[in-house]
Amino acid sequence: MEVLIFENEAEVADQGALLVSELVKKKPDAVLGLATGKSPILLYQNLIEYYKRGQISFKQIQTFNLDEYYGVPRTHPASYRQFMQTYLFDHIDIEVDNTYLPESAGSNPRLVGPKYEAQIKASGGIDLQILGIGRNGHIGFNEPSSSLASRTRIKTLTESTINDNRLLQEDIEMPDMAITMGIGTIMDAHRILLFATGENKSKAVKAALEGPISAMSPASALQAHEYVTVLLDEAAASELELQAYYRWVHSKSKGIKAKYGNFYEIDLTIDSTIDLTED
Ligand code: F6R
């Protein structure tokens, strides 16, 4: 895991937007996995700015959101479809038909998951997945005790998640079930960016990064992913034992990246640039 610690939320979002925009420039038809909630709002604002300045286009981008409330129609103000329209899609040149959420209103919830998985597969798979983390360590709506191999399916939310989400939608009755990508689905993404800011995330971050891999901390599954970057502010990083080491690695890797590019850039062109006959 690459752990990057920044002074504040704004710097976290700046760095996140830089990484996402690098991918979009290099691969204009990339497939992005998106999250809702407070964590990515500043990131989305930055991406909108990049778009408005003509630096990136989303014309050929496809997106798959992590989750959607069960049985909530896309027009409902509490739906994640509305969230995405409001905070990102309405402000960029993305084709709405290229934006997917696991919408379940009026359909058999058991079929929504397999259909969503098939849609992700048909897109060629997720190049970069954006994640937030719940105070209880959830990613997507994979609450503690979720199978680390789970695929997109219906999940019942914990009381703490319902209460946390209520803060975003104060005047609306909050749904208590959702359709979410599974942990296995998330782990299939080629690259993962996990965002966490604020002191209230510090315990979940500590368990996810430095605790044992366990279904009690769903985000800890990311320790087994090859290519995860964790973007934290000081407060979210405050409980990490290896803070000083992460900062040291970050400062060292800046030099390597400046000289050789980052691994992801190399990775995208691996087939064409690496001569396997070379020593
Ligand atoms: C959102 C999602 C959730 C949130 C998490 C953190 O689509 O799947 O896992 O990322 O609950 O939420 P915030 O960012 O509001 O603290």
Side-chain angles (χ1 to χ4, degrees), residues 8 20 33 39 59 62 68 150 181 189 193 229 261:
N8 53 45
V20 176
S39 305
K59 205 80 202 152
Q62 291 185 74
E68 176 61 281
S150 50
M181 280 187 201
L193 295 185
T229 300

Side-chain angles (χ1 to χ4, degrees), residues 21-35:
S21 65
E22 266 175 17
L23 168 65
V24 171
K25 281 182 200 160
K26 286 217 165 344
K27 194 175 178 193
D29 60 350
V31 182
L32 301 180
L34 300 179

Side-chain angles (χ1 to χ4, degrees), residues 71-107:
V72 171
R74 57 191 284 147
T75 50
H76 193 280
S79 74
Y80 281 168
R81 162 59 68 182
Q82 285 305 309
F83 179 101
M84 290 312 301
Q85 294 298 141
T86 304
Y87 288 103
L88 184 63
F89 298 155
D90 285 347
H91 311 284
I92 56 176
D93 61 345
I94 200 156
E95 303 286 346
V96 79
D97 288 348
N98 287 340
T99 65
Y100 297 84
L101 285 96
E103 292 170 32
S104 62
S107 41

Side-chain angles (χ1 to χ4, degrees), residues 35-40 66-67 80 132-134 138-141 168 201:
T36 56
K38 287 189 282 297
S39 305
L66 283 165
D67 36 34
Y80 281 168
I133 181 170
H138 72 211
I139 45 175
F141 278 134
L168 267 182
K201 297 292 173 73

Side-chain angles (χ1 to χ4, degrees), residues 2 4 14-24 50 128 191 193 229 231 257 262:
E2 182 183 33
L4 308 178
D14 285 349
Q15 181 62 25
L18 201 71
L19 295 172
V20 176
S21 65
E22 266 175 17
L23 168 65
V24 171
Y50 277 102
L128 184 150
R191 184 183 187 181
L193 295 185
T229 300
L231 299 143
K257 282 182 186 169
N262 70 40

Side-chain angles (χ1 to χ4, degrees), residues 82-278:
Q82 285 305 309
F83 179 101
M84 290 312 301
Q85 294 298 141
T86 304
Y87 288 103
L88 184 63
F89 298 155
D90 285 347
H91 311 284
I92 56 176
D93 61 345
I94 200 156
E95 303 286 346
V96 79
D97 288 348
N98 287 340
T99 65
Y100 297 84
L101 285 96
E103 292 170 32
S104 62
S107 41
N108 177 345
R110 300 262 176 235
L111 300 181
V112 178
K115 182 176 166 201
Y116 204 56
E117 293 282 335
Q119 286 170 323
I120 295 173
K121 200 168 171 196
S123 76
I126 292 172
D127 289 297
L128 184 150
Q129 176 69 54
I130 290 161
L131 293 179
I133 181 170
R135 281 188 303 129
N136 62 7
H138 72 211
I139 45 175
F141 278 134
N142 296 287
E143 301 285 32
S145 82
S146 290
S147 158
L148 301 185
S150 50
R151 311 300 306 185
T152 307
R153 71 217 181 288
I154 188 163
K155 280 294 291 181
T156 301
L157 306 180
T158 60
E159 220 176 312
S160 75
T161 297
I162 297 167
N163 287 331
D164 286 349
N165 292 358
R166 189 170 280 136
L167 298 176
L168 267 182
Q169 304 273 354
E170 277 165 16
D171 49 346
I172 289 169
E173 174 83 10
M174 292 313 293
D176 54 11
M177 295 180 100
I179 310 278
T180 179
M181 280 187 201
I183 298 174
T185 320
I186 293 169
M187 293 290 282
D188 283 349
H190 185 64
R191 184 183 187 181
I192 294 179
L193 295 185
L194 173 70
F195 291 80
T197 57
E199 209 263 319
N200 66 340
K201 297 292 173 73
S202 60
K203 285 206 162 44
V205 167
K206 162 86 183 150
L209 272 57
E210 296 180 343
I213 295 183
S214 156
M216 289 307 285
S217 164
S220 67
L222 300 175
Q223 292 175 29
H225 191 283
E226 188 188 1
Y227 201 10
V228 179
T229 300
V230 184
L231 299 143
L232 304 172
D233 68 357
E234 308 256 350
S238 59
E239 304 237 356
L240 292 174
E241 197 179 314
L242 298 188
Q243 258 186 79
Y245 176 65
Y246 303 136
R247 289 178 199 275
W248 191 50
V249 172
H250 190 180
S251 69
K252 303 283 273 180
S253 70
K254 275 183 196 156
I256 302 270
K257 282 182 186 169
K259 201 162 169 200
Y260 299 106
N262 70 40
F263 292 125
Y264 194 56
E265 288 164 21
I266 296 167
D267 206 20
L268 280 173
T269 52
I270 199 158
D271 295 339
S272 54
T273 57
I274 296 197
D275 179 356
L276 296 175
T277 60
E278 255 179 34

